[in-house]
C-alpha cells in the first residue's frame, strides 16, 4: 500500500504541459527535488497528445452543458469537518461533484481516462495521513489541485513550494498581481471544469468542497451569482493541531522545497487569519438566504438534524428524499476514531495570540 511519506509522485504530474515552464520561472525548485519535478514533467509530456485531444473534445462539450440549479459550496478551513460534510451531501443523487481522478487529471477527463484511473489506483495512497479516511479515484474531492493542473493559478501550489505560501495566497486568493484578464480566465476555466465534473458524475446540481474558496467568495459569486454556501467552523486548537499534522503528512509527497516546522506553523497561523478576514468581508456579498454557518462540534453530534436545516435554509430540494442515502453512508462508517491532541504550552500560546478573534467570534473557551 502506498503512503504519503513514501510517495514520490506529485499531483503536478496531471498538469498541462504549458504550466511547467511558468512554474520553473516563478519558483525555486531545490536540487534534491529536481528528479521528482522532472518526473512530473515527463509524465505531462507523455500525456500531452491525450491532453490536446481531450481539450479539443471537452471544450466543445462544455459549451453544450448548462448549470441550471444553483451550486452549493462548502467553505471552511482545512480540518474543520468539510470532508465529512462533503461526503454526506455527495450521497444525495441530485449532486454532481469533482472526484479524485478529475482533481488530478482534469486534462484527461474523456480519452485516456481508464488508463489514468488505473494508474491512480496503483500509485495513490489508500488512506489520508491525518485521519485514515479512505481514498479512491471515484470519491468526492476538492478541486484546487485540478485548477493548478488546468492553469497556473491555484493556491495549492503551496504544496509544491511551501516557502512561498503567503505570496501564493496573496496572489491567487486575494488577487494581488493578477490582471483582470487573468482573473477572467480563472472564472472561465472554473465554470468549464464545473460543467464537465457535473456532467461526468451525472448530477443536476454542482457541489463543491474546496477550503481555498473560503477566501474566494467574491470570485465564486461572479461565476454563480446565486450560489449557496455552507460555512463550517471548529475549535481553533483542534484546527491548528489537525492542520499541522495533516500538512506534515501530505507535504513529503508534494514538495519541491524544504520547510521547517516553525515555518509551517507560521504559514498555518497566517493563512487562517487571512482566510478568516477575507471570508468575513466577502460574506456580505452573499444574497440573503444563501448562507448557513454551522459549528463542527454540534454538527458532529447530529449530522442528519443539521443536514435537514441546511436543506431547509438553502432551499436545495427535499431532504427526506436524500436522507436514506446519507443514513446508509453513516452506518457504513463504523467506529472511526478521531485523533486526540494534547497541546503543549507553546502551541496554546501561539493559537491564543494569533487567533483570539476566532474564540470570541465562535464562543470557544481559551485555555490559559
Amino acid at each position: 500500500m502506498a503512503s504519503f511519506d513514501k510517495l514520490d509522485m506529485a499531483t503536478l504530474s496531471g498538469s498541462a504541459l504549458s504550466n511547467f515552464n511558468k512554474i520553473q520561472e516563478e519558483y525555486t525548485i531545490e536540487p534534491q527535488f529536481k528528479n521528482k519535478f522532472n518526473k512530473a514533467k515527463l509524465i505531462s509530456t507523455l500525456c500531452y497528445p491525450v491532453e490536446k485531444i481531450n481539450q479539443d473534445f471537452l471544450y466543445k462539450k462544455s459549451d453544450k452543458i448548462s448549470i441550471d440549479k444553483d451550486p452549493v459550496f462548502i467553505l471552511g478551513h482545512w480540518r474543520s469537518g468539510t470532508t465529512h460534510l462533503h461526503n454526506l451531501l455527495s450521497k444525495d443523487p441530485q449532486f454532481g461533484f469533482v472526484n479524485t481522478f478529475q482533481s488530478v487529471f482534469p486534462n484527461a477527463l474523456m480519452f485516456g481516462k481508464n488508463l489514468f484511473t488505473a494508474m491512480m489506483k496503483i500509485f495513490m495512497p489508500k488512506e489520508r495521513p491525518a485521519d485514515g479516511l479512505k481514498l479512491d479515484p471515484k470519491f468526492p474531492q476538492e478541486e484546487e489541485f485540478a485548477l493548478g493542473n488546468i492553469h497556473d493559478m491555484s493556491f495549492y501550489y503551496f504544496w509544491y513550494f511551501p516557502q512561498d505560501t503567503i505570496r501564493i495566497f496573496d496572489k491567487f486568493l486575494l488577487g494581488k498581481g493578477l490582471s483582470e484578464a487573468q482573473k477572467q480566465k480563472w472564472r472561465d476555466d472554473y465554470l468549464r471544469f464545473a460543467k464537465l465534473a457535473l456532467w461526468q458524475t451525472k448530477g443536476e446540481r454542482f457541489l463543491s468542497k474546496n477550503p481555498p474558496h473560503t477566501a474566494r467568495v467574491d470570485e465564486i459569486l461572479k461565476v454563480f451569482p446565486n450560489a449557496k454556501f455552507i460555512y463550517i467552523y471548529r475549535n481553533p486548537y483542534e484546527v491548528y493541531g489537525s492542520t499541522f499534522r495533516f500538512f506534515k503528512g501530505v507535504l513529503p509527497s508534494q514538495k519541491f522545497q524544504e520547510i521547517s516546522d516553525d515555518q509551517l506553523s507560521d504559514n498555518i497561523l497566517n493563512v487562517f487569519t487571512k482566510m478568516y478576514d477575507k471570508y468575513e468581508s466577502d460574506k456580505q456579498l452573499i444574497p440573503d438566504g444563501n448562507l448557513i454557518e454551522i459549528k463542527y462540534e454540534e454538527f458532529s453530534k447530529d449530522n442528519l438534524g443539521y443536514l435537514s436545516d441546511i436543506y431547509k435554509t438553502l432551499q436545495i430540494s427535499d431532504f427526506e428524499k436524500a436522507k436514506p442515502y446519507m443514513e446508509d453512508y453513516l452506518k457504513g462508517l463504523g467506529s472511526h476514531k478521531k485523533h486526540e491532541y494534547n497541546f503543549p504550552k507553546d502551541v496554546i500560546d501561539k493559537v491564543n495570540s494569533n487567533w483570539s478573534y476566532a474564540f470570541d467570534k465562535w464562543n470557544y473557551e481559551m485555555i490559559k
Side-chain angles (χ1 to χ4, degrees), residues 13-33:
S13 301
S15 182
L17 183 59
S18 59
N19 287 346
F20 283 87
N21 289 337
K22 296 178 184 177
I23 289 169
Q24 287 174 287
E25 292 173 2
E26 182 78 14
Y27 304 100
T28 298
I29 300 161
E30 294 182 347
Q32 67 270 36
F33 298 111

Side-chain angles (χ1 to χ4, degrees), residues 248-267:
K248 282 279 287 184
V250 175
L251 273 169
S253 70
Q254 302 300 317
K255 65 184 180 181
F256 301 125
Q257 297 173 343
E258 291 291 359
I259 184 172
S260 69
D261 284 358
D262 286 342
Q263 287 175 303
L264 178 59
S265 176
D266 287 345
N267 285 345

Side-chain angles (χ1 to χ4, degrees), residues 339-357:
H339 188 83
E340 294 184 5
Y341 297 95
N342 184 17
F343 299 108
K345 183 69 164 57
D346 65 316
V347 168
I348 292 171
D349 290 343
K350 277 184 182 181
V351 175
N352 287 353
S353 61
N354 285 274
W355 295 352
S356 60
Y357 55 86

Side-chain angles (χ1 to χ4, degrees), residues 20 32 43 52 75 93 101 143 146 158 164 180 189 195 216 219 234 238 240 272 284 304 307 312 315 341:
F20 283 87
Q32 67 270 36
I43 293 172
K52 290 300 295 177
L75 308 177
F101 168 77
E143 59 260 31
F158 92 87
D164 297 282
E180 183 53 37
D189 286 346
K195 285 180 176 182
R216 209 185 258 143
E219 288 297 320
R234 185 181 183 186
E238 296 289 332
Y240 175 87
F272 182 101
Q284 312 303 323
L304 296 175
L307 285 163
K312 187 181 301 182
Q315 297 182 344
Y341 297 95

Side-chain angles (χ1 to χ4, degrees), residues 101-118:
F101 168 77
Q102 294 164 341
S103 74
V104 179
F105 291 104
N107 302 302
L109 297 186
M110 186 53 102
F111 305 104
K113 178 182 173 185
N114 292 339
L115 171 63
F116 293 122
T117 300

Side-chain angles (χ1 to χ4, degrees), residues 111-315:
F111 305 104
K113 178 182 173 185
N114 292 339
L115 171 63
F116 293 122
T117 300
M119 284 175 54
M120 285 189 72
K121 286 191 173 182
I122 293 171
F123 290 110
M124 74 180 290
K126 303 297 185 290
E127 296 178 348
R128 296 202 316 187
D131 49 24
L133 286 176
K134 301 298 182 184
L135 294 174
D136 186 272
K138 294 182 180 180
F139 287 0
Q141 187 56 265
E142 54 201 57
E143 59 260 31
E144 196 70 16
F145 278 119
L147 299 177
N149 286 350
I150 292 171
H151 48 57
D152 65 327
M153 293 181 283
S154 168
F155 176 61
Y156 274 5
Y157 277 13
F158 92 87
W159 288 113
Y160 313 131
F161 309 105
Q163 293 174 15
D164 297 282
T165 295
I166 301 305
R167 179 166 69 94
I168 291 170
F169 185 101
D170 288 349
K171 186 173 184 180
F172 298 132
L173 295 185
L174 301 185
K176 294 181 179 179
L178 289 182
S179 67
E180 183 53 37
Q182 287 174 307
K183 293 177 182 178
Q184 189 58 52
K185 176 174 171 51
W186 185 94
R187 295 172 202 135
D188 293 343
D189 286 346
Y190 185 70
L191 177 59
R192 179 188 299 118
F193 182 59
K195 285 180 176 182
L196 293 172
L198 187 65
W199 164 61
Q200 283 207 325
T201 52
K202 299 179 172 58
E204 299 175 354
R205 188 192 299 272
F206 182 60
L207 173 68
S208 164
K209 186 276 290 192
N210 195 50
H213 284 345
T214 308
R216 209 185 258 143
V217 170
D218 55 343
E219 288 297 320
I220 295 297
L221 288 170
K222 289 173 184 173
V223 183
F224 303 108
N226 200 43
K228 316 282 187 175
F229 297 92
I230 308 165
Y231 179 70
I232 185 168
Y233 56 90
R234 185 181 183 186
N235 186 299
Y237 298 119
E238 296 289 332
V239 168
Y240 175 87
S242 190
T243 301
F244 189 88
R245 183 169 180 262
F246 178 61
F247 285 8
K248 282 279 287 184
V250 175
L251 273 169
S253 70
Q254 302 300 317
K255 65 184 180 181
F256 301 125
Q257 297 173 343
E258 291 291 359
I259 184 172
S260 69
D261 284 358
D262 286 342
Q263 287 175 303
L264 178 59
S265 176
D266 287 345
N267 285 345
I268 291 169
L269 293 168
N270 288 333
V271 165
F272 182 101
T273 297
K274 285 174 172 284
M275 183 176 281
Y276 174 93
D277 289 345
K278 185 64 161 46
Y279 167 74
E280 287 295 319
S281 172
D282 282 357
K283 76 178 187 180
Q284 312 303 323
L285 304 172
I286 300 173
D288 290 346
N290 284 8
L291 170 66
I292 184 170
E293 297 181 329
I294 61 176
K295 192 170 190 174
Y296 168 79
E297 290 80 4
E298 295 176 359
F299 172 66
S300 63
K301 295 175 184 176
D302 184 14
N303 286 170
L304 296 175
Y306 270 84
L307 285 163
S308 178
D309 289 343
I310 288 169
Y311 274 65
K312 187 181 301 182
T313 300
L314 300 182
Q315 297 182 344

Side-chain angles (χ1 to χ4, degrees), residues 41-53:
K41 188 173 181 179
L42 175 62
I43 293 172
S44 180
T45 302
L46 295 173
C47 295
Y48 180 70
V50 176
E51 174 193 336
K52 290 300 295 177
I53 293 170

